[in-house]
């Protein structure tokens, strides 16, 4: 097993508070609505830290049929807009990875803009590290869902205002 991580920082044209509400507080509602080719449905079991988000992949997602990703919320701090979850089951867990921890922090950069600092830490099942090709869908997926939420919020300025 090999431990590794990757980080990204991405600018968004919506406030940290609005991005937080859409991407962190209600992903189980927004992701299937905004990305129906990737997520067929989603649910949140419980509330706050310890809650479980389950995302079911759509057939067009190129994930195995019936595939899902189950994540446990570890950190949910609205004062610093810090979110962290641990993948428990599904997705790449048990296939390529032993563990995966995702963290995002939204930092205001203006009245209606923010930067998302995204960090992914993982442990592989095998003895090698992940290649850039293997990391690309993890990174692109993390950024892609946030960009989809941003687009929705820009098109709907009264949502989470």
């Amino acid at each position: 097993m090999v431990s590794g991580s990757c980080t990204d920082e991405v600018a968004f044209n919506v406030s940290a508070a609005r991005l937080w509400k859409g991407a962190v507080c209600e992903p189980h509602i927004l992701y299937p609505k905004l990305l129906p080719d990737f997520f067929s449905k989603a649910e949140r079991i419980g509330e706050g830290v310890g809650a479980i988000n389950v995302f079911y992949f759509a057939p067009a997602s190129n994930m195995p049929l019936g595939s899902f990703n189950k994540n446990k919320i570890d950190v949910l701090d609205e004062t610093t807009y810090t979110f962290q979850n641990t993948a428990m089951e599904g997705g790449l867990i048990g296939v390529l990875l032993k563990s995966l921890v995702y963290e995002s922090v939204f930092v205001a950069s203006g009245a209606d803009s923010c930067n998302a600092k995204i960090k992914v830490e993982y442990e592989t099942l095998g003895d090698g590290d992940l290649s850039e090709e293997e990391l690309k869908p993890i990174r692109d997926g993390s950024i892609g869902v946030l960009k989809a939420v941003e687009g929705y919020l820009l098109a709907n300025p009264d949502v989470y205002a």
Side-chain angles (χ1 to χ4, degrees), residues 114-133:
C114 67
N115 291 319
K117 297 178 181 182
I118 302 164
K119 182 177 183 180
V120 176
E121 296 178 332
Y122 58 86
E123 191 172 14
T124 65
L125 286 173
D127 293 333
D129 199 356
L130 296 181
S131 68
E132 284 302 315
E133 185 178 311

Side-chain angles (χ1 to χ4, degrees), residues 42-156:
E43 64 182 316
R44 177 168 286 169
I45 303 163
E47 292 294 325
V49 172
I52 307 293
N53 284 324
V54 185
F55 300 99
Y56 299 90
F57 297 110
S61 70
N62 293 322
M63 299 295 282
L65 191 60
S67 188
F68 65 93
N69 192 350
K70 185 185 287 187
N71 304 305
K72 178 179 163 233
I73 298 174
D74 301 314
V75 176
L76 191 63
D77 187 340
E78 191 169 2
T79 59
T80 62
Y81 298 121
T82 301
F83 171 76
Q84 183 183 79
N85 71 20
T86 300
M88 299 172 54
E89 185 180 354
L92 298 175
I93 300 299
V95 177
L96 190 60
L97 301 175
K98 178 181 178 192
S99 65
L100 183 134
V101 176
Y102 168 88
E103 180 181 271
S104 63
V105 180
F106 303 146
V107 179
S109 57
D112 292 317
S113 61
C114 67
N115 291 319
K117 297 178 181 182
I118 302 164
K119 182 177 183 180
V120 176
E121 296 178 332
Y122 58 86
E123 191 172 14
T124 65
L125 286 173
D127 293 333
D129 199 356
L130 296 181
S131 68
E132 284 302 315
E133 185 178 311
E134 291 168 321
L135 277 173
K136 185 174 177 21
I138 296 170
R139 294 176 110 150
D140 290 353
S142 298
I143 295 167
V145 293
L146 294 177
K147 283 294 184 181
V149 171
E150 174 192 39
Y152 173 74
L153 295 175
L154 289 172
N156 298 278

